[in-house]
Amino acid sequence: MPKMLLPLATTLAFAGLSSTAFGADLTIQGTAKMDAKGKIAISGSGFKPDSDVMLLFTTADGVESDVTYALDPAPVADAKGHFTTTWSYGRFVKKKLVSPGSFTLKATDADFAPLGETTITFAK
């Protein structure tokens, strides 16, 4: 029986490490309107200073899309690890890739290693 506890303890220890691996925070300013010209402010903190940040959005059909092209300015963490940008998400509304509800927005580094995530809510 003790032999079974070691693998379980090891698995739990690694699971704990992976759940705390996201050291960065993303913040969405308000609710995204279902508007074909919609824009929303996104900010982040706790990122590696002076590094590029990629943002991935999971659409209604479960597809993860890199939306960095639609951000202005491009998200680059400053010397303190903070960034602020605006996402022009209207194309996602036009193409019916979003509907009223909550969706996941993830921050990654340039190699797509996860750094943080948040929820973005779309409303009529």
Side-chain angles (χ1 to χ4, degrees), residues 99-113:
S99 57
S102 296
F103 297 84
T104 302
L105 184 67
K106 294 180 184 175
T108 72
D109 64 14
D111 294 322
F112 297 102

Side-chain angles (χ1 to χ4, degrees), residues 39 45 59 106:
K39 295 181 180 185
S45 63
T59 61
K106 294 180 184 175

Side-chain angles (χ1 to χ4, degrees), residues 47-54 68 74-77 83 108-111 115:
F47 291 87
K48 181 179 175 184
D50 304 313
S51 65
D52 293 333
V53 178
M54 311 289 286
T68 309
V76 177
F83 75 86
T108 72
D109 64 14
D111 294 322
L115 302 173

